[in-house]
Amino acid sequence: MLKGHQSWIFRRRPVITGTAAVVGPFEGRGPLGDDFDIVHGDSMVGQDSWEKAEQALLEEAANVAIQHAGITKEQVHFHVGGDLMNQITSTSYTARTMTIPYIGVFGACSTSMESLALGAQLVDSGAAKHVLVGTCSHNSSAEKQFRYPTEYGSQKPPTAQYTVTGAGAAVVSDEGDGPVVVAATIGRVVDMGIKNPFNMGAAMAPAAVDTITAHFRDLQVGPDHYDLIVTGDLAKVGYEIASDLFEKHDIPMHKTRYRDCGMLIYDYEKQMVQSGGSGCGCSAVVTYGHLIKKLRKREFRRILVVATGALLSPIAMQQGETIPGIAHAVAIEAPESI
Amino acid sequence: MLKGHQSWIFRRRPVITGTAAVVGPFEGRGPLGDDFDIVHGDSMVGQDSWEKAEQALLEEAANVAIQHAGITKEQVHFHVGGDLMNQITSTSYTARTMTIPYIGVFGACSTSMESLALGAQLVDSGAAKHVLVGTCSHNSSAEKQFRYPTEYGSQKPPTAQYTVTGAGAAVVSDEGDGPVVVAATIGRVVDMGIKNPFNMGAAMAPAAVDTITAHFRDLQVGPDHYDLIVTGDLAKVGYEIASDLFEKHDIPMHKTRYRDCGMLIYDYEKQMVQSGGSGCGCSAVVTYGHLIKKLRKREFRRILVVATGALLSPIAMQQGETIPGIAHAVAIEAPESI
């Protein structure tokens, strides 16, 4: 139900009964490598195009998440998801093979939490018993579409981010064992006039701060309410901007408790990722691979995942438009004690 | 709440308190011209690109719908919408100017009813008091992206459809005066192997039949339950295929009570539109401009709008993929008697 102006609290406590994170070889070599369910040795995933490889990652993640939930795909009422590809084809073609009634969504890299928020809302309100949510991205399909094909080997500025090759999916259920989705905040579009698709962290940081501030206001909590607040893919540059904005607004975000998925997924010493990770898959695989495991083990009691999206399109950029940002936040708690 | 496997019934009876349909000059000259709120004389809508023109149509429709609902945009909790443009930019950039918390969705031309179904679900479950829903398309931006720029003047086969230049928006509220959203059915992706982007009616017709059949099964009603069942944009070719499929499945759809928005919007005698209209705007402007007015006047008691989407992308087509179809259905009733 509605709480404040733009948040929902989920009184029936929908449960994340199954999750899966499937990644490419580069992500497997990062510091979270051991947390992912499947690490592919080949970034083509046995397919003949980058787009088909991306879709294959998502299909795998969807099937593994359903399996982990201990149900069959016929028991899943709705599939909510989207991705970065034009017309969200990775997700729509996955929905074709899943044959689950399908609600396509798009929030760029905020799609991971947009779909989880909607899935939890549907379960909480009795509109579904089980909902499959998820998203994916692939470094080479994203670069080809938004910047330059990876085959060109073009140079990148230090503000650029490295799109994660990976897919994350989860099943949200009305009962069962697992971490609990307790609240969500839907973000507004915030645009601070950034025009550079090689600096998306700066474009998204103000949206993250806007949504987190709204979340605190709507739920009447502060940063201390959470053991961890994690943004989706601001990476180093965006993280610093967001940190400055929190300071400016007198919001005491402790650096040890505020992290960013785009900074967690790669090893800055050994992996050349400029500012850090990005892409729909970034917050999805960090959440469903790494963070959910920590909640299951009760290393965290309560976390807030704030997935950030840069709503740019190449054609809007060519027409001189700026990059609007958005962020959606979902609060997740450790499984209830038995 | 969930009804059957893939439908929702809305017991709190969310109300469509405001609507708007804004179209281009060609649609204004069609048989429904008088039903639209605004008819532009210039298909550029005073902008310097087709994409910006499309966005301008949606901004106008959103603002007029909110005005008709008798509220301010600050009172609207969520904006649910999407469109055909890559990364749904028309809607996301409109969301930037509206500054309403935003849930981007994508279902190609099924987006009109996908957004209305979700909006009604949010209101029905107490997750919002007012939700703005809507979508748009523009003939020239869609042709440029999916087929050939209109400036080329390329010839089209008789199965081709004419993308509607128009935007439709509505406000769904928890109370007020207006037609009532009573149920919705979320569709599955259905792909019958069509590869021709000039024959989308054939690609979408099986999805429409699948969703309508599921709706009847979930709600335990038959075609006679409705004064009108209208598909989104199958146009002539798809309408005939759907009619044949209904006959094959022994579903008695009477031709007088089963219509298609893509056939209603243009005058086949005077306007060169091949098979008929299509695009996200097609079902949106026919529903929010024409059909809602008939419900308000109680010329219809109860209708089922089944928006149909072809989930194709140019890159998937180039890689030899077929076109998946989807359809989402929403049941709307005339305002309750006072």
Side-chain angles (χ1 to χ4, degrees):
Chain A
M1 59 171 287
L2 186 70
K3 175 86 178 156
H5 192 79
Q6 62 193 89
S7 299
W8 298 323
I9 44 168
F10 304 127
R11 296 221 184 273
R12 289 168 70 171
R13 301 180 71 77
V15 179
I16 298 176
T17 48
T19 53
V22 180
V23 299
F26 192 65
E27 289 68 27
R29 289 197 295 274
L32 309 183
D34 290 343
D35 282 351
F36 301 128
D37 297 84
I38 298 169
V39 176
H40 281 272
D42 162 24
S43 61
M44 287 297 276
V45 200
Q47 305 295 315
D48 62 5
S49 78
W50 302 120
E51 291 77 13
K52 288 180 188 168
E54 179 176 321
Q55 184 190 325
L57 295 170
L58 183 60
E59 286 181 1
E60 209 165 34
N63 283 310
V64 172
I66 291 172
Q67 200 185 317
H68 281 181
I71 55 172
T72 63
K73 68 177 182 157
E74 288 73 24
Q75 290 175 271
V76 181
H77 284 118
F78 304 104
H79 170 189
V80 183
D83 56 80
L84 288 169
M85 290 294 94
N86 293 342
Q87 289 76 49
I88 59 168
T89 42
S90 307
T91 307
S92 295
Y93 282 88
T94 295
R96 181 178 68 181
T97 56
M98 302 303 289
T99 66
I100 298 166
Y102 168 55
I103 298 169
V105 297
F106 178 79
C109 308
S110 72
T111 301
S112 63
M113 291 303 117
E114 180 184 355
S115 58
L116 181 59
L118 275 176
Q121 202 286 325
L122 292 178
V123 168
D124 189 62
S125 64
K129 279 179 77 67
H130 302 285
V131 179
L132 171 70
V133 302
T135 185
C136 57
S137 55
H138 192 295
N139 184 273
S140 295
S141 66
E143 289 303 309
K144 173 178 158 187
Q145 185 178 277
F146 288 106
R147 283 161 294 260
Y148 301 106
T150 45
E151 291 88 341
Y152 288 12
S154 61
Q155 284 200 314
K156 292 184 171 185
T159 54
Q161 293 178 234
Y162 191 93
T163 305
V164 166
T165 297
V171 174
V172 189
S173 307
D174 63 345
E175 53 184 2
D177 193 27
V180 177
V181 187
V182 295
T185 299
I186 299 296
R188 297 180 305 161
V189 176
V190 178
D191 191 324
M192 302 301 278
I194 303 286
K195 284 194 175 195
N196 179 2
F198 287 107
N199 192 0
M200 295 191 306
M204 298 187 289
V209 175
D210 190 76
T211 296
I212 291 169
T213 311
H215 181 82
F216 291 160
R217 188 195 60 224
D218 284 352
L219 272 78
Q220 297 176 292
V221 297
D224 287 346
H225 188 65
Y226 295 101
D227 299 327
L228 181 77
I229 295 174
V230 62
T231 42
D233 57 349
L234 299 183
K236 262 191 208 164
V237 173
Y239 178 85
E240 290 305 326
I241 295 171
S243 297
D244 287 350
L245 287 170
F246 286 126
E247 212 176 298
K248 204 181 253 176
H249 290 92
D250 273 332
I251 297 166
M253 296 281 275
H254 307 293
K255 290 244 167 183
T256 53
R257 288 195 185 181
Y258 167 44
R259 309 295 290 275
D260 182 77
C261 298
M263 295 169 75
L264 293 169
I265 190 166
Y266 296 119
D267 181 336
Y268 284 96
E269 298 289 317
K270 296 185 192 147
Q271 297 181 300
M272 293 277 284
V273 292
Q274 294 87 33
S275 182
S278 70
C280 282
C282 182
S283 57
V285 301
V286 172
T287 303
Y288 299 137
H290 176 62
L291 300 174
I292 289 286
K293 286 195 176 67
K294 286 199 171 283
L295 283 164
R296 281 203 196 106
K297 290 185 212 153
R298 296 182 173 77
E299 288 178 33
F300 293 136
R301 246 175 340 126
R302 200 184 276 142
I303 67 170
L304 185 69
V305 184
V306 189
T308 41
L311 303 169
L312 81 165
S313 95
I315 209 157
M317 294 296 98
Q318 285 158 6
Q319 295 187 1
E321 263 294 359
T322 53
I323 304 175
I326 194 163
H328 302 298
V330 177
I332 313 173
E333 289 184 1
E336 324 221 317
S337 314
I338 304 160
Chain B
M1 60 171 286
L2 187 69
K3 174 85 178 159
H5 191 78
Q6 61 194 88
S7 299
W8 298 323
I9 45 168
F10 304 127
R11 296 221 183 272
R12 289 168 69 171
R13 303 180 70 77
V15 179
I16 298 175
T17 47
T19 54
V22 180
V23 299
F26 192 64
E27 290 67 28
R29 289 197 295 273
L32 309 182
D34 290 343
D35 282 350
F36 301 128
D37 298 84
I38 298 169
V39 176
H40 281 272
D42 163 24
S43 61
M44 287 297 277
V45 200
Q47 304 296 316
D48 61 5
S49 78
W50 302 120
E51 290 78 13
K52 289 180 186 169
E54 181 176 320
Q55 184 190 327
L57 294 170
L58 182 60
E59 286 182 1
E60 208 164 35
N63 282 310
V64 172
I66 290 171
Q67 198 184 317
H68 281 180
I71 56 172
T72 63
K73 67 177 182 155
E74 288 73 24
Q75 290 175 271
V76 181
H77 285 118
F78 303 104
H79 170 188
V80 183
D83 55 79
L84 289 169
M85 288 295 94
N86 293 343
Q87 289 76 47
I88 59 167
T89 42
S90 306
T91 307
S92 295
Y93 282 87
T94 294
R96 181 178 67 179
T97 57
M98 302 303 289
T99 65
I100 298 166
Y102 168 54
I103 298 169
V105 297
F106 178 79
C109 308
S110 72
T111 302
S112 63
M113 291 303 117
E114 180 183 354
S115 58
L116 181 58
L118 276 176
Q121 203 284 325
L122 292 178
V123 169
D124 189 63
S125 64
K129 279 179 77 69
H130 301 286
V131 179
L132 171 70
V133 302
T135 185
C136 57
S137 54
H138 192 295
N139 185 272
S140 296
S141 65
E143 289 304 310
K144 173 179 157 187
Q145 185 176 277
F146 289 107
R147 284 161 295 261
Y148 301 106
T150 45
E151 291 88 340
Y152 289 10
S154 64
Q155 284 200 314
K156 292 183 171 187
T159 54
Q161 293 177 233
Y162 191 93
T163 305
V164 166
T165 298
V171 174
V172 189
S173 306
D174 64 344
E175 54 184 1
D177 193 28
V180 177
V181 187
V182 294
T185 299
I186 298 296
R188 297 181 304 161
V189 176
V190 178
D191 191 325
M192 302 301 279
I194 303 286
K195 284 195 175 195
N196 179 2
F198 287 108
N199 192 1
M200 294 190 308
M204 298 187 289
V209 174
D210 190 76
T211 297
I212 292 169
T213 310
H215 181 82
F216 291 160
R217 187 195 61 224
D218 283 353
L219 272 80
Q220 298 176 292
V221 297
D224 288 345
H225 188 65
Y226 295 102
D227 299 328
L228 180 77
I229 294 174
V230 62
T231 41
D233 56 349
L234 299 183
K236 261 190 209 166
V237 172
Y239 178 85
E240 290 304 326
I241 295 170
S243 298
D244 288 351
L245 288 170
F246 286 126
E247 212 176 297
K248 204 181 251 176
H249 290 93
D250 273 332
I251 298 166
M253 296 279 275
H254 306 292
K255 290 244 165 182
T256 53
R257 288 194 184 181
Y258 167 44
R259 309 296 290 275
D260 182 77
C261 298
M263 296 168 75
L264 293 169
I265 191 166
Y266 295 119
D267 181 336
Y268 284 96
E269 297 290 315
K270 296 184 193 149
Q271 296 180 299
M272 294 280 283
V273 292
Q274 294 88 31
S275 183
S278 71
C280 282
C282 181
S283 56
V285 301
V286 172
T287 302
Y288 299 137
H290 177 61
L291 300 174
I292 290 285
K293 287 196 176 65
K294 286 199 172 282
L295 283 164
R296 281 202 196 107
K297 290 185 212 153
R298 296 182 172 78
E299 288 177 33
F300 293 135
R301 246 175 339 126
R302 199 183 278 142
I303 67 170
L304 185 69
V305 184
V306 189
T308 41
L311 303 169
L312 81 165
S313 95
I315 210 156
M317 295 294 98
Q318 285 158 8
Q319 295 187 1
E321 264 294 359
T322 53
I323 304 175
I326 195 162
H328 302 299
V330 177
I332 314 173
E333 290 185 1
E336 322 221 317
S337 313
I338 304 161

